[in-house]
Amino acid sequence: MKDIDELIKHYGLEEDPEHVIVPFLDKNGRPKRRYLLKRRFIRIVYAEGYFIDYPLSDVIKATVQYPELLLSEALYRMYKESD
């Protein structure tokens, strides 16, 4: 997971043995953190009964860009911007 280590260094994120930690300020200026499991893929199950496995690198990028949004919404916006 060398690419994940590079993202952690690039964005100045924190980590522990099981998580990538994304610190951010909420809309009121209070410090918060998002914890992402260190897994090759993160699965999001949607209400319609289907699921998508997203690469952890994309999950990290989306969380850094949109930390206050639901992960599914953050990924949607990130992919939409890249098209």
Side-chain angles (χ1 to χ4, degrees):
M1 296 190 21
K2 184 179 176 182
D3 58 332
I4 302 306
D5 293 334
E6 291 175 7
L7 284 173
I8 290 170
K9 289 177 186 173
H10 176 75
Y11 290 118
L13 306 176
E14 302 168 13
E15 65 179 320
D16 65 23
E18 294 185 23
H19 301 94
V20 174
I21 304 165
V22 181
F24 68 99
L25 297 176
D26 70 3
K27 61 184 174 186
N28 296 321
R30 293 180 294 208
K32 292 200 169 195
R33 295 173 169 210
R34 294 274 186 243
Y35 290 80
L36 305 171
L37 283 172
K38 285 185 180 177
R39 303 290 182 262
R40 191 170 298 276
F41 295 94
I42 302 294
R43 177 172 287 177
I44 297 180
V45 179
Y46 294 92
E48 296 82 21
Y50 68 95
F51 63 88
I52 299 175
D53 293 333
Y54 292 97
L56 180 58
S57 57
D58 288 354
V59 171
I60 291 171
K61 292 174 190 175
T63 303
V64 167
Q65 288 179 336
Y66 306 104
E68 288 197 28
L69 295 180
L70 292 173
L71 182 54
S72 58
E73 180 66 24
L75 285 161
Y76 172 79
R77 287 189 184 188
M78 185 187 77
Y79 287 137
K80 187 176 179 182
E81 286 178 0
S82 66
D83 286 340

